Amino acid sequence: MRHFLRVLSTSAPALLAAALCFHFAMTAAYLTPQNPLQLRFARLISGYMNPFFQQNWHLFAPDPITDTRLLMVSCRLHEPDGSTAETGWTDITTPYWEGHLENRLGPATRLGRSVTGAARMIYTVDPTSLQMAKKLDQHRVRAEAGGGSPETAEAQVVDTLRSEVKKEQDAGFQLGKSVLERAGSAHCDSLYGPNRTDAVRMRLAVLKFPRFSRRDLPDSKGELTYYDFDWAPYQRVAPLDPATKDNLQAPVARRAAVAEGR
């Protein structure tokens, strides 16, 4: 036993250093602009980073974040008499951030990031792929105007890259959609009890802040836009309440219901 503990204490720093190097390497590969190497290992990189480690450089970008995004859920419940009823929209994002402010080491942050990260995977458009598509279209227009063939070797390479980028975006969309549907199912169970939900529907609310010229106005005076998902079948998932239980506060979903009732 002593020999095992001695080996473990000796190898632990090396294992920790290797784990940190792997994590930072994956993070760097995830944040670099689209390139052939990133596309080659896109599934491995995205599988590791999404949805818990997803991040971006908006804080340091020329165009900082200009909106607040909230996720809401509606539940389709079956009643004892065989009928169904659709509930109103419940904000499930704000309570997570409130829980994070109350307890920085609690689970609210991890849960909140997984949900908002999934929404970002669905609605974020990669600027590199858009620029790539624009360049390819311009190249083909010039080739056709000059009487040449638009299907040159260069165009075929760029077209292949576009195809790979689209596959990655489609995979991200499907993963984000699946995470949101499972999160919605968990919240419906927490809000209205288990075995009552037939379908769930998610809504993304985007509040754009007033422009800098109107910075004297509160954020609530900005432009509010809703994006509704289709109804999705209920999925049985682990209960949400044990994951959000805290001795000082009620579960996140239940607090959301109370806020919605006000």
Side-chain angles (χ1 to χ4, degrees), residues 29-40 42 46 125-130 132 161 164-166 168-169:
Y30 179 79
L31 293 174
T32 55
Q34 292 284 0
N35 57 79
L37 185 62
Q38 187 190 61
L39 294 174
R40 174 66 177 80
S46 296
V125 179
D126 178 55
T128 305
S129 62
L130 293 179
M132 187 183 300
L161 291 177
E164 292 297 325
V165 170
K166 186 178 185 306
E168 176 61 19
Q169 290 178 336

Side-chain angles (χ1 to χ4, degrees), residues 147-214:
S149 173
E151 301 301 328
T152 63
E154 179 185 357
Q156 292 176 4
V157 170
V158 177
D159 205 15
T160 300
L161 291 177
R162 280 183 61 187
S163 178
E164 292 297 325
V165 170
K166 186 178 185 306
K167 289 180 181 179
E168 176 61 19
Q169 290 178 336
D170 291 343
F173 177 88
Q174 293 300 327
L175 177 59
K177 182 173 178 292
S178 176
V179 171
L180 289 185
E181 291 173 357
R182 292 175 63 83
S185 298
H187 277 86
C188 288
D189 281 348
S190 182
L191 290 167
Y192 305 105
N195 303 320
R196 289 198 60 197
T197 305
D198 290 333
V200 298
R201 190 178 191 184
M202 303 298 293
R203 164 181 282 186
L204 177 65
V206 179
L207 174 63
K208 288 190 176 182
F209 311 142
R211 301 300 87 190
F212 185 76
S213 60
R214 307 297 303 278

Side-chain angles (χ1 to χ4, degrees), residues 43 56 66 86 93 113 147 172 201 243 249 253:
R43 181 170 298 181
N56 54 59
T66 59
E86 297 179 3
T93 304
R113 284 188 180 277
R201 190 178 191 184
Q249 60 187 13

Side-chain angles (χ1 to χ4, degrees), residues 1-12:
M1 185 65 179
R2 289 183 177 179
H3 177 70
F4 173 75
L5 293 177
R6 188 180 303 112
V7 172
L8 181 62
S9 62
T10 303
S11 59

Side-chain angles (χ1 to χ4, degrees), residues 76 103 110 113 115 121 161:
R76 180 180 292 162
N103 182 4
R110 296 191 297 275
R113 284 188 180 277
V115 176
M121 292 171 65
L161 291 177

